[in-house]
Amino acid sequence: MKNIMRKIIRISFLVFITFVFLAGCKSIQKKKLPPEKTCDLFFSYLNNYDYAKAKELGTEQTIKIVSFVETLSKMGGGGKIVLKDSKSELLNCEINGKEAICNYKTFTGDIQKVYLLYQKGRWLVDLRKKPE
């Protein structure tokens, strides 16, 4: 009888610890990040084929594009389709109300713009077909 109680207590404790850990991870994802950090995380997730996490940091338009890239990747044609290369350098982010533009200098010297919108209480990457 004592053995069964110990097992029940251990299992309950493990379930509790798991719940606390998962709740903590979820609150980190919902944390308000500045545009710079949002961009870096978004492209890091894309580079590592973590499309679900990348979608969490994107607008509806971005989610559609990431889903398309994910489909291509599953078919073997997606590869690493990213806007920010590994040797790019963040120059600055300009925030104008609920919009932000982060400028990156690529290894070729070109300036690459990443657009973000403030939606749902946080900054989200907005991959646009045509920048406004």
Side-chain angles (χ1 to χ4, degrees):
M1 188 69 164
K2 263 186 172 176
N3 230 0
I4 293 173
M5 288 302 287
R6 283 185 185 170
K7 285 183 180 181
I8 290 173
I9 290 172
R10 283 183 185 165
I11 291 172
S12 298
F13 181 72
L14 289 174
V15 168
F16 175 74
I17 294 297
T18 303
F19 175 75
V20 169
F21 176 74
L22 292 176
C25 289
K26 199 66 169 170
S27 67
I28 289 170
Q29 291 175 356
K30 297 295 180 188
K31 186 168 65 168
K32 292 180 184 176
L33 300 172
E36 300 89 348
K37 184 69 174 165
T38 301
C39 280
D40 284 340
L41 277 175
F42 176 79
F43 290 112
S44 173
Y45 291 146
L46 275 185
N47 251 350
N48 293 306
Y49 305 104
D50 196 343
Y51 300 112
K53 285 185 181 177
K55 289 177 191 177
E56 289 177 12
L57 296 175
T59 61
E60 289 300 317
Q61 176 66 28
T62 301
I63 291 170
K64 290 176 187 175
I65 292 170
V66 171
S67 294
F68 178 69
V69 170
E70 182 178 19
T71 302
L72 286 176
S73 182
K74 287 179 181 175
M75 295 181 343
K80 290 201 177 209
I81 301 175
V82 256
L83 296 176
K84 187 172 104 41
D85 61 69
S86 60
K87 295 189 175 152
S88 62
E89 170 191 351
L90 175 67
L91 297 176
N92 64 342
C93 284
E94 301 166 12
I95 300 173
N96 187 10
K98 293 190 175 218
E99 293 188 5
I101 300 172
C102 290
N103 297 300
Y104 287 88
K105 185 175 184 180
T106 65
F107 74 98
T108 62
D110 297 331
I111 303 297
Q112 184 178 41
K113 295 182 182 298
V114 178
Y115 298 88
L116 295 97
L117 296 176
Y118 193 77
Q119 296 178 346
K120 304 174 189 174
R122 60 197 182 126
W123 289 103
L124 300 173
V125 174
D126 186 36
L127 299 178
R128 303 173 180 187
K129 291 179 184 176
K130 261 191 177 176
E132 297 164 0

